[in-house]
Amino acid sequence: INTDKLPPIFSLEKIQSGKYCLSQLNEKNKAMFSDAIYRRKATPWSEIKQQHRHGLGAEKISKSSIKAAIPKFITEDVSDFLVFRYNGMHPMVGYRQREIFYVLWFDHDFTLYDH
């Protein structure tokens, strides 16, 4: 199966606790996160790749640019993380496996990496 033809499945299974956790978001940002995944629910990965990075698309950032501890389960084959915007310019950062996007962090205060 070509997973680029499938829409993303957003997973909070591997979100990291602490400063960049979902629990640190205010109610507005939590609502906007819900809206962000809803707006992407039927858009295949192939179309997301063509969208603007500050719109419905995503951008890649290197693992080395992350200022938080990289989880031990992130293996060497994950060379980059993906960033989606959930409230204006507010980024959620994670990685993709097949059609699943695992959210690791919510950069609600723009300090997780240099923007």
Side-chain angles (χ1 to χ4, degrees):
I1 295 174
N2 180 355
T3 58
D4 274 358
K5 294 181 179 182
L6 300 173
I9 297 170
F10 287 84
S11 173
L12 299 177
E13 173 188 355
K14 298 183 180 186
I15 193 164
Q16 300 299 289
S17 58
K19 181 178 180 179
Y20 304 108
C21 185
L22 177 71
S23 65
Q24 300 302 307
L25 299 182
N26 63 30
E27 293 305 313
K28 179 181 179 183
N29 280 331
K30 287 178 182 177
M32 295 304 292
F33 166 65
S34 296
D35 185 62
I37 61 174
Y38 179 78
R39 286 182 287 129
R40 293 174 175 98
K41 73 180 181 86
T43 307
W45 277 103
S46 59
E47 288 183 33
I48 287 174
K49 290 178 180 181
Q50 296 173 12
Q51 298 293 319
H52 191 273
R53 65 189 176 106
H54 291 154
L56 291 179
E59 68 178 306
K60 289 183 180 182
I61 60 169
S62 69
K63 285 195 309 190
S64 63
S65 65
I66 298 294
K67 296 178 182 176
I70 304 295
K72 295 190 186 307
F73 59 80
I74 300 293
T75 57
E76 290 298 317
D77 62 318
V78 178
S79 57
D80 295 312
F81 289 119
L82 287 177
V83 176
F84 281 102
R85 306 298 169 170
Y86 66 92
N87 181 10
M89 297 295 287
H90 287 85
M92 60 177 134
V93 181
Y95 68 101
R96 178 184 172 187
Q97 278 186 329
R98 297 173 302 282
E99 72 271 27
I100 302 172
F101 178 74
Y102 292 99
V103 180
L104 296 173
W105 303 285
F106 290 91
D107 192 8
H108 58 91
D109 63 357
F110 299 100
T111 60
L112 178 62
Y113 64 96
D114 291 330
H115 295 264

